[in-house]
C-alpha cells in the first residue's frame, strides 16, 4: 500500500505539471491517466486480499498457497505479484510520458533552397488515337497542369491548361480553330505551335477588354509532346520540369508569414 501511495502521488504531480505546460503531448497525458488508474486498481486488489484488523485467522479460511502473517492477516502471494506488476506498469507509464515531451526545434517540412529545373519525359496515360482532331485532354504531370490536343489538321500539340489571363482552365470549354486555341471566358487566343498571343480578352464587349487591362499580356506555355514506344504508337509523353512544383513552393515558404516558422525550424 505504501508503494502504491508513493507511485500515485508521483503520478498526480506529473499530471498537474503536464496540464500546466502547453508543450506536453496529448499522448503523454493519456499515459499518465492510465498509470494512475493502474495504481488505484493495484491498491484495491491488495485490500481485497487483506483481512480487517482484529479478525483472527480462524474466522477467515486461508486460501490454498496463502501465507498467514502476524496479527491474523491472510495475504495471497499471487496477489502480491499482481500488485507489484501493476505498480511497475504505472512507473513505466510515467517515464514514457516524460519522454514524449517535445524537445528541440520544429522539423522543417518544406525546402526554401533554390530549386533548379529538371526536365523529364512523362507518360500521359493515353495514345494519339485516343484524341480526335480538334479535341483536348487535360492531364497533371509532376504538378504541371497540361493540355494535350490535336489541331484540326491532326497535328499533336501540348500547352499549359491554365489561361495566362486569370488562370481559367482551358479544358473547360476551350475551342481549337485550325492551330489556334481560344479561351472560353474572355476570348483570348494563342497559336498552339509557338505559343504566341493572337487576341487578348476580346469578349464579352466592354467587360472583356476591361479585365484585360489589369493583367499584362502573355504568351501561352508550350510543352514538347511525342509518341512513346521504340517505333512510336505508344502512350503520349510530355517533356516537363519535374521540379516545377517544388520550386514554386520554395519561393512561397520564404515569406515572413511562413506557416512553418523560420528556415531553421524555429518560430518567429
Amino acid at each position: 500500500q505504501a508503494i502504491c501511495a508513493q507511485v500515485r502521488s508521483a503520478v498526480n504531480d506529473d499530471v498537474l505539471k503536464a496540464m500546466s505546460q502547453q508543450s506536453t503531448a496529448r499522448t503523454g497525458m493519456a499515459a499518465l491517466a492510465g498509470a494512475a488508474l493502474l495504481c488505484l486498481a493495484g491498491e484495491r486488489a491488495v485490500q481485497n486480499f487483506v483481512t480487517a484488523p482484529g479478525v483472527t485467522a480462524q474466522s477467515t479460511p486461508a486460501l490454498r498457497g496463502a501465507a498467514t502473517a502476524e496479527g491474523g492477516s491472510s495475504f495471497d502471494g499471487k496477489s502480491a505479484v499482481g500488485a507489484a506488476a501493476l505498480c511497475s506498469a504505472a512507473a513505466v507509464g510515467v517515464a514514457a510520458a516524460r519522454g514524449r515531451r517535445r524537445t528541440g526545434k520544429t522539423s522543417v517540412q518544406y525546402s526554401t533552397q533554390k530549386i533548379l529545373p529538371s526536365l523529364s519525359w512523362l507518360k500521359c496515360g493515353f495514345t494519339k488515337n485516343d484524341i480526335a482532331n480538334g479535341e483536348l485532354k487535360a492531364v497533371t504531370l509532376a504538378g504541371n497542369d497540361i493540355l494535350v490536343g490535336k489541331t484540326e489538321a491532326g497535328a499533336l500539340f501540348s500547352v499549359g491548361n491554365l489561361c495566362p489571363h486569370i488562370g481559367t482552365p482551358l479544358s473547360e470549354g476551350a475551342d481549337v480553330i485550325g492551330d489556334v486555341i481560344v479561351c472560353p471566358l474572355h476570348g483570348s487566343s494563342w497559336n498552339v505551335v509557338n505559343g504566341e498571343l493572337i487576341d487578348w480578352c476580346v469578349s464579352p464587349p466592354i467587360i472583356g477588354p476591361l479585365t484585360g487591362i489589369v493583367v499584362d499580356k502573355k504568351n501561352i506555355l508550350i510543352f514538347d509532346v511525342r509518341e512513346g514506344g521504340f517505333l512510336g504508337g505508344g502512350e503520349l509523353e510530355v517533356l516537363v520540369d519535374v521540379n516545377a512544383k517544388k520550386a514554386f513552393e520554395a519561393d512561397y515558404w520564404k515569406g515572413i508569414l511562413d506557416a512553418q516558422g523560420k528556415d531553421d525550424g524555429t518560430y518567429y
Side-chain angles (χ1 to χ4, degrees):
Q1 287 180 331
I3 294 175
C4 291
Q6 291 178 0
V7 174
R8 183 174 60 182
S9 177
V11 170
N12 290 336
D13 291 341
D14 282 337
V15 171
L16 292 175
K17 291 179 182 178
M19 292 177 65
S20 63
Q21 298 177 359
Q22 295 182 355
S23 62
T24 302
R26 292 184 178 179
T27 55
M29 294 290 292
L32 289 173
L37 291 176
L38 286 173
C39 188
L40 290 174
E43 184 178 358
R44 290 186 178 180
V46 172
Q47 292 176 352
N48 289 337
F49 285 95
V50 178
T51 59
V55 179
T56 62
Q58 288 77 9
S59 61
T60 304
L63 297 176
R64 183 177 181 181
T68 303
E70 293 181 3
S73 297
S74 177
F75 186 80
D76 194 325
K78 294 183 179 180
S79 301
V81 174
L86 290 174
C87 292
S88 299
V92 172
V94 173
R98 289 178 175 175
R100 288 192 182 99
R101 292 177 182 173
R102 186 182 64 182
T103 57
K105 298 177 180 179
T106 303
S107 59
V108 178
Q109 299 180 3
Y110 298 91
S111 174
T112 55
Q113 62 182 342
K114 181 65 176 179
I115 306 298
L116 299 178
S118 178
L119 299 178
S120 180
W121 289 97
L122 299 183
K123 296 182 181 296
C124 296
F126 48 85
T127 66
K128 179 180 180 180
N129 295 332
D130 295 329
I131 306 175
N133 291 356
E135 185 182 1
L136 299 169
K137 281 185 176 293
V139 63
T140 300
L141 301 175
N144 298 275
D145 292 323
I146 297 172
L147 204 58
V148 180
K150 285 183 180 180
T151 64
E152 288 185 334
L156 278 174
F157 68 88
S158 181
V159 298
N161 188 24
L162 301 182
C163 175
H165 180 209
I166 57 174
T168 304
L170 297 176
S171 57
E172 300 297 327
D175 294 322
V176 177
I177 303 174
D179 57 359
V180 175
I181 186 170
V182 182
C183 175
L185 188 59
H186 297 118
S188 299
S189 58
W190 299 267
N191 186 297
V192 298
V193 177
N194 52 31
E196 292 183 355
L197 175 66
I198 298 175
D199 286 319
W200 185 254
C201 301
V202 294
S203 63
I206 301 177
I207 297 177
L210 287 177
T211 62
I213 294 176
V214 297
V215 180
D216 294 335
K217 296 180 179 181
K218 302 174 185 176
N219 292 333
I220 198 170
L221 187 61
I222 296 294
F223 294 91
D224 291 334
V225 59
R226 71 181 185 186
E227 290 186 79
F230 182 71
L231 297 176
E235 291 185 26
L236 295 180
E237 299 176 349
V238 178
L239 184 63
V240 298
D241 178 12
V242 296
N243 286 341
K245 184 174 183 291
K246 187 183 295 183
F248 173 81
E249 291 178 345
D251 290 335
Y252 178 79
W253 290 116
K254 288 178 183 177
I256 194 172
L257 298 180
D258 184 355
Q260 72 173 355
K262 297 182 180 179
D263 291 349
D264 60 3
T266 60
Y267 289 98
Y268 291 99

